[in-house]
């Protein structure tokens, strides 16, 4: 990825049923509703392409082309972030509005946070480095850099994560206490909203994390 490098990285979280995203991208014959959704996704991909051109960012493969290749099942094997951006736009068309989790350091910093949380007994599957960079359920070409990064966590694990972090907050090194509290608060709020959604008849089964 060539162009102006951003200072810091943004982390966003949204909730939805990942099965609808996978069905959209892998369907042999799409329904009319899926075709309308795909048209919206393609428009957002084109808008992102235009914004990147204005910023002098060259992804080698356009996001619009990456979307078409994902749909055709013919993505490049060369590293390129365009496919991650295209997949994210497909997610955005199905998931809730994103929750802004603020600006964070480079992804490698989370290894130190993982070590600190694990030292105090937080289970490995609840460490941020485990789920924030897990990747999507579909195989995508590597972005070629550490960002953008996609992570997922089953929505049913949100409360367990928030509780696990809350139990150790007072014992964490000050460098990690604030970030751990931020994640715990966001996941606890998401768990409450998810419970309300299920009561209303929907099933937001997956938390999607977008680090960019």
């Amino acid at each position: 990825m060539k162009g102006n490098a951003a200072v810091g990285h943004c982390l966003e979280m949204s909730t939805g049923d990942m099965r609808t995203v996978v069905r959209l991208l892998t369907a042999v014959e799409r329904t009319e509703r899926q075709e309308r959704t795909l048209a919206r996704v393609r428009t957002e991909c084109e808008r992102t392409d235009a914004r990147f051109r204005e910023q002098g960012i060259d992804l080698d493969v356009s996001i619009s082309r990456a979307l078409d290749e994902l749909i055709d099942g013919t993505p490049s094997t060369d590293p390129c972030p365009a496919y991650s951006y295209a997949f994210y736009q497909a997610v955005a068309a199905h998931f809730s509005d994103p929750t802004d989790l603020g600006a964070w350091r480079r992804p490698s910093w989370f290894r130190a946070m993982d070590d600190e949380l694990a030292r105090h007994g937080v289970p490995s599957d609840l460490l941020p480095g485990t789920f924030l960079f897990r990747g999507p359920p579909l195989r995508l070409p590597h972005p070629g850099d550490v960002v953008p990064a996609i992570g997922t966590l089953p929505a049913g694990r949100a409360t367990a994560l928030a509780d696990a972090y809350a139990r150790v907050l007072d014992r964490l090194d000050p460098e990690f206490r604030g970030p751990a509290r931020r994640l715990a608060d966001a996941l606890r709020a998401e768990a409450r909203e998810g419970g309300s959604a299920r009561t209303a008849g929907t099933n937001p089964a997956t938390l999607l994390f977008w680090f960019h």
Side-chain angles (χ1 to χ4, degrees):
M1 179 174 176
K2 301 180 283 293
N4 297 325
V7 178
H9 300 288
C10 298
L11 178 61
E12 299 175 354
M13 177 180 69
S14 55
T15 313
D17 188 343
M18 187 62 74
R19 295 171 300 180
T20 61
V21 180
V22 174
R23 283 195 292 263
L24 176 72
L25 295 175
T26 61
V28 176
E29 294 185 8
R30 280 178 290 275
T31 65
E32 290 185 8
R33 181 176 182 179
Q34 286 176 318
E35 289 290 358
R36 290 194 298 269
T37 300
L38 188 57
R40 296 199 304 272
V41 173
R42 183 169 283 107
T43 296
E44 292 304 317
C45 289
E46 292 169 351
R47 288 175 177 170
T48 305
D49 280 331
R51 185 173 74 250
F52 281 0
R53 284 194 299 271
E54 291 174 358
Q55 296 172 352
I57 296 173
D58 179 10
L59 300 183
D60 296 328
V61 174
S62 72
I63 300 171
S64 301
R65 175 181 161 189
L67 175 65
D68 289 336
E69 291 180 3
L70 289 178
I71 292 169
D72 293 339
T74 59
S76 170
T77 57
D78 296 330
C80 181
Y83 301 91
S84 295
Y85 284 109
F87 182 84
Y88 175 74
Q89 292 300 340
V91 169
H94 295 90
F95 276 41
S96 65
D97 291 337
T99 297
D100 182 3
L101 297 182
W104 295 73
R105 303 182 190 181
R106 60 190 181 278
S108 59
W109 175 82
F110 284 95
R111 296 196 194 106
M113 186 175 182
D114 287 351
D115 291 342
E116 177 71 4
L117 290 167
R119 188 166 67 89
H120 294 287
V122 174
S124 60
D125 64 326
L126 297 179
L127 300 176
T130 301
F131 61 83
L132 290 179
F133 310 106
R134 176 175 291 161
L138 292 178
R139 186 182 296 274
L140 301 179
H142 192 278
D145 202 345
V146 291
V147 290
I150 295 170
T152 61
L153 181 74
R157 299 292 284 157
T159 297
L161 184 148
D163 290 345
Y165 287 19
R167 283 194 295 268
V168 302
L169 274 179
D170 292 342
R171 289 179 279 149
L172 296 180
D173 183 282
E175 178 182 1
F176 305 105
R177 194 173 300 153
R181 180 180 290 109
R182 189 192 310 178
L183 285 174
D185 289 347
L187 270 292
R188 195 176 300 284
E190 191 60 53
R192 288 196 298 268
E193 293 179 8
S196 299
R198 284 188 289 273
T199 300
T202 62
N203 183 27
T206 302
L207 298 173
L208 187 286
F209 298 90
W210 176 237
F211 193 82
H212 62 108

